[in-house]
Amino acid sequence: MSRYDTQGRAEIESRIRKTVVPERGQIPMFTYTDPGVYELEVERIFGRNWLFLGHVSEIPRPGSFVTRTMGEESVIVGRGDDSIVRVFLNACRHRGMRLACEDFGEVNNWRCPYHGFTYGSKGNFLGTFMGAPFERVAYPEGLDRDALHLVEARCETYKGLIFATWAKSGPSLDEFLGNSKWYLDLVVGRAEMEVVGHPERWMVPTNWRLPAENFASDAYHTATAHSFLQRLGMVKGVDFGRDGYHVDAGGGHGLGVGVHFDGHSYFPEELADEYAVNLDDGQNQTLSRLKNLHGNIFPNFTFLIPNFIEVEGRRVSGAMLRVWQPVGANKCQVWSWHFVEKNAPEWWKKLGRRMYTQTFSSSGMFDQDDTENWEMQTRSSDAALYRNEEFVLNYGMGLNMPTLEKDEFPGPGDVYDGKFSESAARTYYKVWRDQILEGHK
Ligand code: FES
Ligand code: FE
């Protein structure tokens, strides 16, 4: 049920239609914190896109589960006793109590803490006289077991990444990811990967879209916001974010591929054979000169190979995944996973953990810089909203930039030479606007 009447919704849609013009690089600031816009996003963006929930290594055994969020709804991501990964709304069919109140665990059955309705690991209400306490007495005429099956989302995996959607039909995960798969492979498909510990979580007073679009499209801020890297001598110059490629992968997915010119790979030699087996020639070639990679899968799933830095005299980076989980229009819960190659040498694993805590994590220096910017932008948006002015932001960088020819870079999508462009952000907002407005039909 909307908190806004039909008239209120129509007004918000009309304002978006008039003022969100990514084709000209124009995005109005009110969209960041307007509660009516947020309500439409929950319904039309989070209610139908494929959303990233976790990695298969987090639920290794039959019965393992983690609890995650899709939009505003708690879900259980569980491995059934048949080893299949499924995603259920975390709500009992009796009165809607959460079945799993823990972050993770292992179960044979789901027993509701309220009245004791019990479900199997495949989401099925258990057999006659096993599903409900005192069932013979309380329900002498029996219960419709099929109707009591847990609400299940469509779930698919790609290279161990678990996604789910509430859309009953529509593109498969493979179609949805499209060109971005080629780049995701560099982060999580290059070798057998495993999660290091449990994902970290922390709250940031920002609208969720600001970090998402930053990772999709904003290499430009690194020279100013993260100039500490150069001042501390961790990189040679503040232009470390420029060299490489800006990629509009389509579907609202965007990324930047940073390259170096040192003529040898920064990744551990010990893993070269495994990379060669898992990646094609173009991907291997790109990995061998990679110094950073950042991207975002629409709407709020970020992947990252942070800029290589020196730790204990060795160059090191890692693999990270992020979800920018909205908690209202101006608050966001950050979920952060750190990954490492399972067969990596010990020094890469150990220094990789150091690199993670120093760079992108709740204690990370990059996160301190970025968070402050997103928080202040969100406050500015609130102020603009309060004044009811059309404060239009400039997303015009690279508007007339030509794309590279297919023989100039091996990866798919619209690829631009140099990472300073906002093309991917413009596509992100085209997809965002179209989904919000199409939902009206
Ligand atoms: Fe679950 Fe009643 S709410 S058994
Ligand atoms: Fe940043």
Side-chain angles (χ1 to χ4, degrees):
M1 170 93 71
S2 170
R3 287 181 286 257
Y4 293 82
D5 57 19
T6 316
Q7 183 64 22
R9 283 197 151 198
E11 267 170 34
I12 294 164
E13 286 165 352
S14 153
R15 193 169 174 196
I16 289 173
R17 193 174 288 111
K18 264 192 246 143
T19 59
V20 178
V21 194
E23 292 79 357
R24 293 204 295 269
Q26 296 171 355
I27 308 297
M29 206 166 201
F30 81 92
T31 65
Y32 291 130
T33 48
D34 186 305
V37 171
Y38 174 67
E39 190 175 293
L40 289 175
E41 286 178 325
V42 170
E43 179 185 312
R44 298 174 186 178
I45 303 285
F46 290 95
R48 68 183 188 192
N49 282 287
W50 285 100
L51 303 172
F52 174 72
L53 297 174
H55 188 260
V56 290
S57 65
E58 294 180 80
I59 45 171
R61 288 172 292 281
S64 327
F65 74 91
V66 290
T67 47
R68 299 285 144 90
T69 310
M70 291 174 69
E72 291 192 333
E73 293 169 314
S74 173
V75 293
I76 298 170
V77 183
R79 195 180 284 278
D81 53 17
D82 55 0
S83 281
I84 292 175
V85 176
R86 296 181 180 83
V87 176
F88 305 108
L89 188 66
N90 189 5
C92 174
R93 299 305 301 253
H94 181 226
R95 291 285 193 283
M97 171 60 189
R98 284 194 178 173
L99 288 175
C101 299
E102 312 91 329
D103 291 337
F104 58 90
E106 220 164 287
V107 291
N108 292 324
N109 298 311
W110 299 105
R111 184 173 157 81
C112 178
Y114 197 177
H115 310 91
F117 273 29
T118 306
Y119 305 82
S121 62
K122 301 188 198 75
N124 53 301
F125 192 71
L126 285 192
T128 317
F129 306 126
M130 291 167 63
F134 315 108
E135 192 174 329
R136 277 178 217 274
V137 183
Y139 301 99
E141 286 164 19
L143 283 161
D144 180 349
R145 307 194 113 63
D146 289 344
L148 292 170
H149 195 285
L150 294 179
V151 175
E152 191 168 345
R154 258 168 88 206
C155 172
E156 290 183 27
T157 61
Y158 178 74
K159 301 274 166 91
L161 307 179
I162 305 167
F163 289 79
T165 174
W166 294 119
K168 293 199 173 11
S169 58
S172 64
L173 176 62
D174 203 69
E175 290 163 337
F176 171 79
L177 292 175
N179 291 328
S180 66
K181 285 180 295 179
W182 195 92
Y183 301 94
L184 263 178
D185 289 352
L186 299 176
V187 186
V188 292
R190 64 187 192 228
E192 189 181 347
M193 307 296 281
E194 60 184 9
V195 178
V196 180
H198 294 286
E200 270 191 289
R201 281 175 291 171
W202 65 95
M203 299 295 278
V204 177
T206 175
N207 173 264
W208 65 273
R209 250 183 290 122
L210 289 166
E213 61 161 68
N214 173 288
F215 278 89
S217 192
D218 191 341
Y220 186 55
H221 77 288
T222 54
T224 306
H226 305 309
S227 59
F228 76 88
L229 268 190
Q230 193 258 341
R231 278 184 269 135
L232 294 181
M234 295 168 99
V235 294
K236 285 194 200 104
V238 289
D239 58 353
F240 63 92
R242 182 195 56 195
D243 292 330
Y245 304 92
H246 179 82
V247 183
D248 174 354
H253 316 318
L255 59 126
V257 180
V259 298
H260 62 77
F261 303 96
D262 285 359
H264 60 86
S265 173
Y266 290 175
F267 287 85
E269 234 180 81
E270 296 92 323
L271 292 168
D273 290 346
E274 195 173 347
Y275 295 154
V277 170
N278 287 295
L279 302 175
D280 68 25
D281 289 350
Q283 288 171 317
N284 254 309
Q285 204 186 85
T286 306
L287 197 75
S288 70
R289 57 192 196 116
L290 197 81
K291 67 172 182 181
N292 59 49
L293 189 154
H294 55 87
N296 188 71
I297 302 295
F298 190 87
N300 65 336
F301 169 43
T302 280
F303 53 98
L304 174 70
I305 297 174
N307 202 81
F308 274 78
I309 58 168
E310 281 206 16
V311 182
E312 292 181 13
R314 301 187 90 146
R315 263 205 200 98
V316 65
S317 183
M320 281 172 219
L321 302 179
R322 286 272 172 100
V323 165
W324 311 103
Q325 183 61 53
V327 186
N330 52 13
K331 206 188 287 177
C332 166
Q333 184 173 45
V334 185
W335 285 72
S336 177
W337 290 257
H338 174 212
F339 282 80
V340 72
E341 292 90 338
K342 200 172 177 183
N343 305 315
E346 217 30 62
W347 69 266
W348 175 256
K349 289 187 177 180
K350 184 180 135 218
L351 299 184
R353 282 196 296 275
R354 286 267 304 277
M355 182 274 319
Y356 173 72
T357 50
Q358 280 182 24
T359 58
F360 288 92
S361 67
S362 56
S363 58
M365 291 184 284
F366 283 87
D367 272 296
Q368 313 292 328
D369 298 337
D370 288 326
T371 299
E372 190 165 15
N373 288 309
W374 300 329
E375 183 177 342
M376 296 304 159
Q377 287 174 279
T378 301
R379 286 198 200 176
S380 299
S381 173
D382 268 336
L385 192 68
Y386 175 71
R387 291 199 311 272
N388 202 27
E389 271 173 25
E390 225 52 282
F391 188 131
V392 179
L393 304 171
N394 185 317
Y395 281 72
M397 192 190 298
L399 251 177
N400 300 311
M401 216 168 150
T403 54
L404 287 178
E405 298 298 327
K406 297 292 166 217
D407 59 355
E408 291 178 283
F409 180 77
D414 287 345
V415 182
Y416 299 86
D417 194 9
K419 287 173 70 188
F420 291 171
S421 170
E422 286 163 352
S423 175
R426 288 190 288 276
T427 303
Y428 182 95
Y429 275 103
K430 279 181 214 166
V431 172
W432 179 87
R433 176 198 58 197
D434 294 348
Q435 289 197 3
I436 294 263
L437 296 180
E438 273 167 27
H440 178 59
K441 287 175 190 163

PDB file of all heavy atoms in Angstrom, residues 6 10 73 90 105 137 149 181 243 255 302 318 329 346 366 393 399 424 438:
ATOM      1  N   THR A   6      -2.811   8.427  -5.286  1.00  0.00           N
ATOM      2  CA  THR A   6      -2.546   8.300  -6.713  1.00  0.00           C
ATOM      3  C   THR A   6      -2.073   9.626  -7.288  1.00  0.00           C
ATOM      4  O   THR A   6      -1.168   9.679  -8.110  1.00  0.00           O
ATOM      5  CB  THR A   6      -3.845   7.855  -7.432  1.00  0.00           C
ATOM      6  OG1 THR A   6      -4.408   6.828  -6.649  1.00  0.00           O
ATOM      7  CG2 THR A   6      -3.573   7.358  -8.820  1.00  0.00           C
ATOM      8  N   ALA A  10       1.426  10.369  -9.211  1.00  0.00           N
ATOM      9  CA  ALA A  10       1.415  10.922 -10.583  1.00  0.00           C
ATOM     10  C   ALA A  10       2.283  12.170 -10.649  1.00  0.00           C
ATOM     11  O   ALA A  10       2.995  12.400 -11.631  1.00  0.00           O
ATOM     12  CB  ALA A  10      -0.012  11.236 -11.010  1.00  0.00           C
ATOM     13  N   GLU A  73      12.675  -6.347   2.187  1.00  0.00           N
ATOM     14  CA  GLU A  73      12.167  -7.602   2.741  1.00  0.00           C
ATOM     15  C   GLU A  73      13.285  -8.557   3.137  1.00  0.00           C
ATOM     16  O   GLU A  73      14.228  -8.779   2.365  1.00  0.00           O
ATOM     17  CB  GLU A  73      11.249  -8.271   1.707  1.00  0.00           C
ATOM     18  CG  GLU A  73      10.002  -7.447   1.487  1.00  0.00           C
ATOM     19  CD  GLU A  73       9.191  -7.916   0.298  1.00  0.00           C
ATOM     20  OE1 GLU A  73       9.753  -8.161  -0.773  1.00  0.00           O
ATOM     21  OE2 GLU A  73       7.974  -8.030   0.468  1.00  0.00           O
ATOM     22  N   ASN A  90      11.401 -14.363   4.268  1.00  0.00           N
ATOM     23  CA  ASN A  90      11.608 -14.799   5.657  1.00  0.00           C
ATOM     24  C   ASN A  90      10.349 -14.501   6.473  1.00  0.00           C
ATOM     25  O   ASN A  90      10.351 -13.657   7.364  1.00  0.00           O
ATOM     26  CB  ASN A  90      12.838 -14.070   6.226  1.00  0.00           C
ATOM     27  CG  ASN A  90      13.265 -14.600   7.572  1.00  0.00           C
ATOM     28  OD1 ASN A  90      12.712 -15.585   8.071  1.00  0.00           O
ATOM     29  ND2 ASN A  90      14.242 -13.946   8.173  1.00  0.00           N
ATOM     30  N   GLY A 105      23.326 -19.770   9.777  1.00  0.00           N
ATOM     31  CA  GLY A 105      23.236 -20.962  10.613  1.00  0.00           C
ATOM     32  C   GLY A 105      23.041 -22.202   9.769  1.00  0.00           C
ATOM     33  O   GLY A 105      23.264 -22.193   8.547  1.00  0.00           O
ATOM     34  N   VAL A 137      -5.659 -31.682  16.900  1.00  0.00           N
ATOM     35  CA  VAL A 137      -6.634 -30.984  17.733  1.00  0.00           C
ATOM     36  C   VAL A 137      -6.959 -29.601  17.162  1.00  0.00           C
ATOM     37  O   VAL A 137      -8.112 -29.204  17.050  1.00  0.00           O
ATOM     38  CB  VAL A 137      -6.076 -30.816  19.176  1.00  0.00           C
ATOM     39  CG1 VAL A 137      -7.103 -30.147  20.078  1.00  0.00           C
ATOM     40  CG2 VAL A 137      -5.645 -32.163  19.732  1.00  0.00           C
ATOM     41  N   HIS A 149       3.279 -23.384   1.532  1.00  0.00           N
ATOM     42  CA  HIS A 149       4.680 -23.389   1.066  1.00  0.00           C
ATOM     43  C   HIS A 149       5.228 -21.970   1.205  1.00  0.00           C
ATOM     44  O   HIS A 149       4.522 -20.993   0.943  1.00  0.00           O
ATOM     45  CB  HIS A 149       4.735 -23.837  -0.399  1.00  0.00           C
ATOM     46  CG  HIS A 149       6.119 -24.224  -0.847  1.00  0.00           C
ATOM     47  ND1 HIS A 149       7.099 -23.290  -1.106  1.00  0.00           N
ATOM     48  CD2 HIS A 149       6.686 -25.432  -1.077  1.00  0.00           C
ATOM     49  CE1 HIS A 149       8.210 -23.919  -1.473  1.00  0.00           C
ATOM     50  NE2 HIS A 149       7.982 -25.218  -1.461  1.00  0.00           N
ATOM     51  N   LYS A 181      29.307  -9.814 -17.582  1.00  0.00           N
ATOM     52  CA  LYS A 181      29.882 -11.095 -17.150  1.00  0.00           C
ATOM     53  C   LYS A 181      31.385 -11.162 -17.457  1.00  0.00           C
ATOM     54  O   LYS A 181      32.170 -11.689 -16.672  1.00  0.00           O
ATOM     55  CB  LYS A 181      29.174 -12.261 -17.854  1.00  0.00           C
ATOM     56  CG  LYS A 181      27.788 -12.543 -17.308  1.00  0.00           C
ATOM     57  CD  LYS A 181      27.141 -13.687 -18.034  1.00  0.00           C
ATOM     58  CE  LYS A 181      26.896 -13.308 -19.470  1.00  0.00           C
ATOM     59  NZ  LYS A 181      26.296 -14.333 -20.294  1.00  0.00           N
ATOM     60  N   ASP A 243      44.211   6.173 -16.159  1.00  0.00           N
ATOM     61  CA  ASP A 243      44.604   5.299 -17.263  1.00  0.00           C
ATOM     62  C   ASP A 243      43.749   4.038 -17.318  1.00  0.00           C
ATOM     63  O   ASP A 243      43.626   3.331 -16.315  1.00  0.00           O
ATOM     64  CB  ASP A 243      46.080   4.885 -17.118  1.00  0.00           C
ATOM     65  CG  ASP A 243      47.002   6.079 -17.324  1.00  0.00           C
ATOM     66  OD1 ASP A 243      46.629   6.991 -18.096  1.00  0.00           O
ATOM     67  OD2 ASP A 243      48.081   6.101 -16.698  1.00  0.00           O
ATOM     68  N   LEU A 255      31.296   0.234 -15.547  1.00  0.00           N
ATOM     69  CA  LEU A 255      32.550  -0.074 -14.859  1.00  0.00           C
ATOM     70  C   LEU A 255      33.739   0.659 -15.439  1.00  0.00           C
ATOM     71  O   LEU A 255      33.672   1.235 -16.522  1.00  0.00           O
ATOM     72  CB  LEU A 255      32.816  -1.580 -14.897  1.00  0.00           C
ATOM     73  CG  LEU A 255      32.923  -2.215 -16.272  1.00  0.00           C
ATOM     74  CD1 LEU A 255      34.207  -2.979 -16.400  1.00  0.00           C
ATOM     75  CD2 LEU A 255      31.734  -3.118 -16.510  1.00  0.00           C
ATOM     76  N   THR A 302      27.952  -3.843  -6.265  1.00  0.00           N
ATOM     77  CA  THR A 302      29.263  -3.337  -6.697  1.00  0.00           C
ATOM     78  C   THR A 302      30.328  -4.430  -6.633  1.00  0.00           C
ATOM     79  O   THR A 302      30.325  -5.256  -5.721  1.00  0.00           O
ATOM     80  CB  THR A 302      29.656  -2.149  -5.780  1.00  0.00           C
ATOM     81  OG1 THR A 302      28.978  -0.987  -6.238  1.00  0.00           O
ATOM     82  CG2 THR A 302      31.145  -1.884  -5.779  1.00  0.00           C
ATOM     83  N   GLY A 318      42.953  -7.319  -4.142  1.00  0.00           N
ATOM     84  CA  GLY A 318      42.071  -8.410  -3.744  1.00  0.00           C
ATOM     85  C   GLY A 318      40.822  -8.406  -4.601  1.00  0.00           C
ATOM     86  O   GLY A 318      40.816  -7.907  -5.713  1.00  0.00           O
ATOM     87  N   ALA A 329      15.199   6.549   2.220  1.00  0.00           N
ATOM     88  CA  ALA A 329      15.765   7.335   1.114  1.00  0.00           C
ATOM     89  C   ALA A 329      17.149   7.862   1.444  1.00  0.00           C
ATOM     90  O   ALA A 329      17.992   7.994   0.564  1.00  0.00           O
ATOM     91  CB  ALA A 329      14.829   8.501   0.789  1.00  0.00           C
ATOM     92  N   GLU A 346      50.190 -18.093   0.559  1.00  0.00           N
ATOM     93  CA  GLU A 346      49.857 -17.516   1.868  1.00  0.00           C
ATOM     94  C   GLU A 346      50.112 -16.001   1.928  1.00  0.00           C
ATOM     95  O   GLU A 346      49.352 -15.258   2.526  1.00  0.00           O
ATOM     96  CB  GLU A 346      50.668 -18.272   2.943  1.00  0.00           C
ATOM     97  CG  GLU A 346      49.959 -18.511   4.253  1.00  0.00           C
ATOM     98  CD  GLU A 346      48.437 -18.664   4.190  1.00  0.00           C
ATOM     99  OE1 GLU A 346      47.909 -19.604   3.549  1.00  0.00           O
ATOM    100  OE2 GLU A 346      47.763 -17.816   4.793  1.00  0.00           O
ATOM    101  N   PHE A 366      39.772   4.547   1.869  1.00  0.00           N
ATOM    102  CA  PHE A 366      38.938   4.967   0.739  1.00  0.00           C
ATOM    103  C   PHE A 366      37.496   5.192   1.206  1.00  0.00           C
ATOM    104  O   PHE A 366      36.840   6.130   0.794  1.00  0.00           O
ATOM    105  CB  PHE A 366      38.939   3.898  -0.368  1.00  0.00           C
ATOM    106  CG  PHE A 366      40.182   3.871  -1.196  1.00  0.00           C
ATOM    107  CD1 PHE A 366      41.274   3.126  -0.807  1.00  0.00           C
ATOM    108  CD2 PHE A 366      40.260   4.589  -2.370  1.00  0.00           C
ATOM    109  CE1 PHE A 366      42.423   3.097  -1.566  1.00  0.00           C
ATOM    110  CE2 PHE A 366      41.409   4.565  -3.143  1.00  0.00           C
ATOM    111  CZ  PHE A 366      42.494   3.812  -2.740  1.00  0.00           C
ATOM    112  N   LEU A 393      22.065  18.425 -11.368  1.00  0.00           N
ATOM    113  CA  LEU A 393      23.489  18.071 -11.324  1.00  0.00           C
ATOM    114  C   LEU A 393      24.021  17.817 -12.732  1.00  0.00           C
ATOM    115  O   LEU A 393      23.268  17.467 -13.644  1.00  0.00           O
ATOM    116  CB  LEU A 393      23.673  16.824 -10.464  1.00  0.00           C
ATOM    117  CG  LEU A 393      23.102  16.972  -9.054  1.00  0.00           C
ATOM    118  CD1 LEU A 393      23.124  15.638  -8.333  1.00  0.00           C
ATOM    119  CD2 LEU A 393      23.865  18.023  -8.267  1.00  0.00           C
ATOM    120  N   LEU A 399      30.199  13.318 -22.989  1.00  0.00           N
ATOM    121  CA  LEU A 399      28.946  13.169 -23.756  1.00  0.00           C
ATOM    122  C   LEU A 399      29.194  12.876 -25.229  1.00  0.00           C
ATOM    123  O   LEU A 399      28.458  12.108 -25.844  1.00  0.00           O
ATOM    124  CB  LEU A 399      28.113  14.459 -23.634  1.00  0.00           C
ATOM    125  CG  LEU A 399      26.856  14.397 -22.798  1.00  0.00           C
ATOM    126  CD1 LEU A 399      26.185  15.741 -22.707  1.00  0.00           C
ATOM    127  CD2 LEU A 399      25.867  13.341 -23.308  1.00  0.00           C
ATOM    128  N   ALA A 424      28.528   5.706 -18.392  1.00  0.00           N
ATOM    129  CA  ALA A 424      27.856   4.602 -17.685  1.00  0.00           C
ATOM    130  C   ALA A 424      26.830   5.138 -16.679  1.00  0.00           C
ATOM    131  O   ALA A 424      25.781   4.529 -16.473  1.00  0.00           O
ATOM    132  CB  ALA A 424      28.889   3.721 -16.983  1.00  0.00           C
ATOM    133  N   GLU A 438       7.996   3.054 -16.431  1.00  0.00           N
ATOM    134  CA  GLU A 438       7.297   1.910 -17.038  1.00  0.00           C
ATOM    135  C   GLU A 438       6.421   1.201 -16.025  1.00  0.00           C
ATOM    136  O   GLU A 438       5.376   0.665 -16.358  1.00  0.00           O
ATOM    137  CB  GLU A 438       8.302   0.880 -17.585  1.00  0.00           C
ATOM    138  CG  GLU A 438       8.743   1.164 -18.993  1.00  0.00           C
ATOM    139  CD  GLU A 438       9.953   0.330 -19.357  1.00  0.00           C
ATOM    140  OE1 GLU A 438      10.125  -0.764 -18.781  1.00  0.00           O
ATOM    141  OE2 GLU A 438      10.749   0.808 -20.187  1.00  0.00           O
TER     142      GLU A 438
END
